């Protein structure tokens, strides 16, 4: 049976890798590597796993890790921007860092800050740090987030990128049972192209996408 790609919805997906626990497919169109739904863990197991791996807001090592997204984003943001930290987890350290830099942050996390009102307003920027690899429905969730961005707004993502089939088989990142979507550079370039967005890759795992300017109404001929 062919499995539909959870990011671009094409049926053109093929076997990519199998390990002791699950199977991985790759989309021919957007190159997303994904775990088919039959191999997803339950919500209860997912939550238990997150609670075991809780990061502290004040942990200097974790802050250093997040600064690789926070610093380049702050360089690009106007002072006092308004943003959303999507999938902030139980200890929203990235939001704390961006707030200290003078920006205002709303929080949303399916398990820990389930405030749907935060997804009803538009933002100057949205961050998703170590989030997209967990998404069961990346097409819908990423489209929803993109819709919440103003013109010229930034979307800052942290996720490890797929490099090659050989590296994938040895990769610690796939051993986390809650990681079900693995993006590559090609995937982000495809996704950005579909939205006429610009995309920048910083280091191994930071992706910055910028929404286009506001559409100006063409002047009517006199
Ligand atoms: Zn796809």
């Amino acid at each position: 049976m062919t499995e539909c790609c959870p990011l671009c919805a094409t049926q053109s997906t093929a076997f990519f890798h199998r390990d002791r626990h699950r199977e991985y497919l790759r989309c021919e169109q957007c190159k997303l590597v994904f775990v088919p739904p039959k191999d997803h863990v339950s919500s209860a197991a997912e939550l238990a796993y997150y609670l075991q791996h809780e990061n502290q807001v004040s942990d200097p090592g974790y802050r250093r890790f997040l600064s690789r997204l926070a610093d380049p984003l702050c360089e690009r943001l106007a002072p006092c921007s308004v943003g959303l930290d999507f999938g902030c987890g139980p200890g929203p350290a990235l939001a704390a860092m961006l707030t200290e830099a003078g920006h205002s942050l709303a929080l949303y996390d399916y398990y820990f800050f389930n405030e749907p009102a935060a997804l009803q307003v538009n933002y100057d920027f949205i961050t998703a740090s170590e989030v997209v690899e967990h998404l069961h429905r990346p097409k819908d969730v990423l489209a929803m987030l993109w819709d919440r961005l103003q013109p010229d707004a930034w979307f800052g993502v942290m996720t490890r990128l797929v490099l090659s089939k050989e590296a994938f088989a040895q990769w610690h990142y796939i051993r986390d049972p809650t990681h079900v979507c693995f993006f590559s550079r090609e995937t982000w370039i495809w996704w950005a192209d579909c939205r006429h967005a610009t995309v920048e890759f910083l280091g191994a795992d930071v992706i910055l996408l910028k929404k286009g300017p506001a559409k100006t109404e063409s002047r009517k001929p006199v």
Side-chain angles (χ1 to χ4, degrees):
M1 195 187 89
T2 53
E3 198 76 54
C4 186
C5 171
L7 183 61
C8 74
T10 176
Q11 296 279 343
S12 307
T13 59
F15 175 83
F16 186 67
H17 178 67
R18 184 193 302 277
D19 61 20
R20 278 197 304 139
H21 304 288
R22 51 194 193 163
E23 185 177 48
Y24 305 83
L25 306 176
R26 183 162 64 174
C27 174
E28 312 273 352
Q29 177 169 262
C30 72
K31 309 297 182 199
L32 183 81
V33 176
F34 63 97
V35 174
K38 69 176 174 61
D39 287 341
H40 289 179
V41 294
S42 68
S43 296
E46 211 172 46
L47 176 58
Y49 196 85
Y50 295 151
L51 289 170
Q52 265 176 35
H53 295 81
E54 189 177 337
N55 292 302
Q56 299 297 325
V57 173
S58 56
D59 177 350
Y62 188 48
R63 282 188 161 232
R64 224 169 12 252
F65 168 77
L66 291 172
S67 68
R68 292 186 293 109
L69 172 59
D71 292 352
L73 191 60
C74 284
E75 284 168 18
R76 289 159 176 81
L77 292 176
C80 306
S81 289
V82 178
L84 167 70
D85 187 13
F86 181 81
C88 57
L94 178 61
M97 291 162 72
L98 293 166
T99 303
E100 287 160 18
H103 306 296
S104 301
L105 267 292
L107 302 175
Y108 180 86
D109 189 284
Y110 178 75
Y111 290 114
F112 304 105
F113 290 87
N114 198 330
E115 302 286 348
L119 305 178
Q120 305 296 322
V121 287
N122 290 352
Y123 295 98
D124 302 319
F125 70 96
I126 295 177
T127 55
S129 169
E130 300 285 306
V131 170
V132 297
E133 63 276 14
H134 299 277
L135 297 176
H136 291 193
R137 295 184 300 110
K139 178 176 187 284
D140 298 341
V141 174
L142 293 177
M144 179 274 293
L145 292 176
W146 194 251
D147 282 348
R148 296 278 70 80
L149 289 170
Q150 320 263 26
D152 293 316
W154 290 92
F155 184 32
V157 176
M158 264 180 113
T159 189
R160 304 294 292 192
L161 298 172
V162 175
L163 298 175
S164 67
K165 206 166 189 167
E166 296 68 34
F168 190 89
Q170 307 295 325
W171 206 13
H172 69 90
Y173 212 55
I174 67 172
R175 313 223 191 295
D176 180 330
T178 65
H179 288 179
V180 294
C181 284
F182 306 93
F183 293 68
S184 63
R185 277 183 173 239
E186 286 166 289
T187 312
W188 286 115
I189 291 167
W190 174 85
W191 197 81
D193 274 356
C194 293
R195 285 156 187 79
H196 309 292
T198 56
V199 59
E200 284 179 71
F201 297 95
L202 304 174
D205 57 357
V206 173
I207 302 102
L208 292 180
L209 297 118
K210 188 168 196 254
K211 201 160 181 168
K215 287 195 181 77
T216 48
E217 269 187 45
S218 54
R219 294 180 65 185
K220 289 192 182 97
V222 180

